[in-house]
């Protein structure tokens, strides 16, 4: 079986999803038996212009340079796979897309950078799919080694990679984890979140933050009303949906609806 050629690219991100490759330890050696990595700066391999079978892209499109790079990546890759919240939905940095709610974008720069006049960014932080055709998306903040390996094995076997869309609540039930939304009145986003993390937070009695993003057909409005019912005010509902995947259409709709100046 011939090896897949792979490139791993980083746009605007924290580099956390690339660790899904590096943190495997001995598992990385098994991965290299099935795939040849031609570009991966985090791993010390620099060849950004090489054509490959699969290009994994981490990070959102936040700068003009990001936009140029991602278009070039698309032209050199048979498959483009986005990994992580930033690449799939814009990530935490997409909060600046809501400058009308959280303050002007210029004031945000002042709070982060000593010399914001040196920072060149696009008006919005966008997912990769807003600019190019994406073949597959691996959601998560961060993605896991198991996700990446399962995806590669499916391709090597000649099958269509299966997207994880099941709700986190189903994983909680199978693991017999007590529902924190019901028993603790915790503001859990599990009912609208896709599985993938192993229900880590509820397993420790904590509310889900939706690290893996919206599930298939999430009823966000119903959950938002339930959060209101356990005592959250409008701004708290907004902030709950705005934490990681704020630019996803499902969560963005709730953010804009529950913002204090919106007309419900």
């Amino acid at each position: 079986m011939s090896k897949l050629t792979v490139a791993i690219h980083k746009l605007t991100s924290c580099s956390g999803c690339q660790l899904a490759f590096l943190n495997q330890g001995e598992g990385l050696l098994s991965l290299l038996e099935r795939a040849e990595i031609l570009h991966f700066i985090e791993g010390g391999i620099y060849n950004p212009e090489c054509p490959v079978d699969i290009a994994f892209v981490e990070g959102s499109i936040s700068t003009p340079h990001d936009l140029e790079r991602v278009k070039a990546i698309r032209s050199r890759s048979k498959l483009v796979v986005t990994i992580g919240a930033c690449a799939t939905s814009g990530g935490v940095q997409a909060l600046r897309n809501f400058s009308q709610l959280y303050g002007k974008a210029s004031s945000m720069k002042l709070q982060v950078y000593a010399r914001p006049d040196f920072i060149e960014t696009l008006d919005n932080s966008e997912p990769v799919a807003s600019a190019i055709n994406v073949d597959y998306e691996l959601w998560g903040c961060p993605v896991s080694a198991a996700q990446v390996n399962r995806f590669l094995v499916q391709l090597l076997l000649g099958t269509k990679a299966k997207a994880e869309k099941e709700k986190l609540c189903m994983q909680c039930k199978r693991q017999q984890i007590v529902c924190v939304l019901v028993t603790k009145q915790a503001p859990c986003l599990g009912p609208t979140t896709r599985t993938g993390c192993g229900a880590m937070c509820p397993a420790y009695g904590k509310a889900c933050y939706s690290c893996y993003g919206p599930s298939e057909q999430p009823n966000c409005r119903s959950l938002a009303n339930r959060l209101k019912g356990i005592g959250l005010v409008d701004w708290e509902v907004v902030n709950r949906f705005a934490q990681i995947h704020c630019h996803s259409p499902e969560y963005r709709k709730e953010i804009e609806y529950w913002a204090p100046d919106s007309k419900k």
Side-chain angles (χ1 to χ4, degrees):
M1 185 179 295
S2 60
K3 288 186 177 182
L4 291 171
T5 54
V6 173
I8 303 165
H9 297 273
K10 167 186 163 62
L11 303 178
T12 300
S13 64
C14 71
S15 301
C17 288
Q18 295 177 76
L19 298 180
F21 295 89
L22 290 179
N23 283 351
Q24 295 184 56
E26 292 183 2
L28 182 59
L29 299 178
S30 298
L31 174 62
L32 294 176
E33 293 177 358
R34 305 190 296 266
E36 181 182 5
I37 300 177
L38 300 182
H39 171 72
F40 186 18
I41 294 179
E42 193 86 359
I45 304 171
Y46 182 76
N47 189 13
E49 298 181 358
C50 62
V52 292
D53 294 320
I54 307 175
F56 289 97
V57 182
E58 177 198 79
S60 64
I61 300 174
S62 294
T63 69
H65 184 53
D66 287 340
L67 185 57
E68 292 175 8
R69 286 185 59 210
V70 80
K71 290 179 179 178
I73 291 168
R74 176 70 273 182
S75 69
R76 296 191 294 263
S77 311
K78 293 179 182 178
L79 295 177
V80 172
V81 182
T82 51
I83 56 173
C86 299
T88 55
S89 71
V92 174
Q93 56 267 36
L95 282 169
R96 79 163 186 257
N97 302 358
F98 297 90
S99 57
Q100 75 278 13
L101 300 181
Y102 291 96
K104 294 181 180 180
S106 58
S107 65
M108 292 182 181
K109 286 184 182 180
L110 284 170
Q111 294 178 46
V112 177
Y113 301 102
R115 289 297 302 273
D117 49 309
F118 290 164
I119 307 301
E120 183 182 9
T121 62
L122 300 172
D123 290 338
N124 288 333
S125 176
E126 299 282 351
V128 172
S130 68
I132 63 169
N133 177 57
V134 170
D135 299 288
Y136 295 97
E137 295 180 330
L138 300 182
W139 289 64
C141 187
V143 294
S144 67
Q147 279 177 284
V148 173
N149 287 338
R150 183 166 58 246
F151 172 79
L152 287 171
V153 167
Q154 288 172 333
L155 288 187
L156 285 165
L157 293 175
T159 63
K160 185 177 181 180
K162 179 184 177 183
E164 294 287 352
K165 295 183 178 179
E166 185 181 64
K167 291 179 175 61
L168 184 70
C169 290
M170 299 305 296
Q171 194 164 28
C172 276
K173 291 180 184 298
R174 283 194 293 269
Q175 295 177 205
Q176 300 184 27
I177 298 172
V178 176
C179 179
V180 296
L181 179 61
V182 173
T183 62
K184 292 188 175 183
Q185 305 286 285
C188 184
L189 295 184
T192 65
T193 299
R194 72 180 67 205
T195 186
C197 64
M200 184 181 299
C201 291
Y204 286 92
K206 303 297 182 181
C208 169
Y209 291 91
S210 196
C211 295
Y212 278 68
S215 60
E216 189 172 35
Q217 298 180 333
N219 191 341
C220 296
R221 184 59 47 80
S222 178
L223 177 60
N225 285 327
R226 181 69 188 108
L227 297 180
K228 290 278 291 180
I230 63 175
L232 272 66
V233 298
D234 288 0
W235 260 121
E236 290 173 316
V237 173
V238 168
N239 290 334
R240 200 69 190 170
F241 282 104
Q243 292 178 99
I244 300 172
H245 291 276
C246 61
H247 197 55
S248 62
E250 299 88 348
Y251 288 177
R252 186 182 184 96
K253 182 178 179 180
E254 293 309 304
I255 294 167
E256 292 175 343
Y257 179 83
W258 294 100
D261 58 350
S262 68
K263 296 180 180 180
K264 302 180 180 65

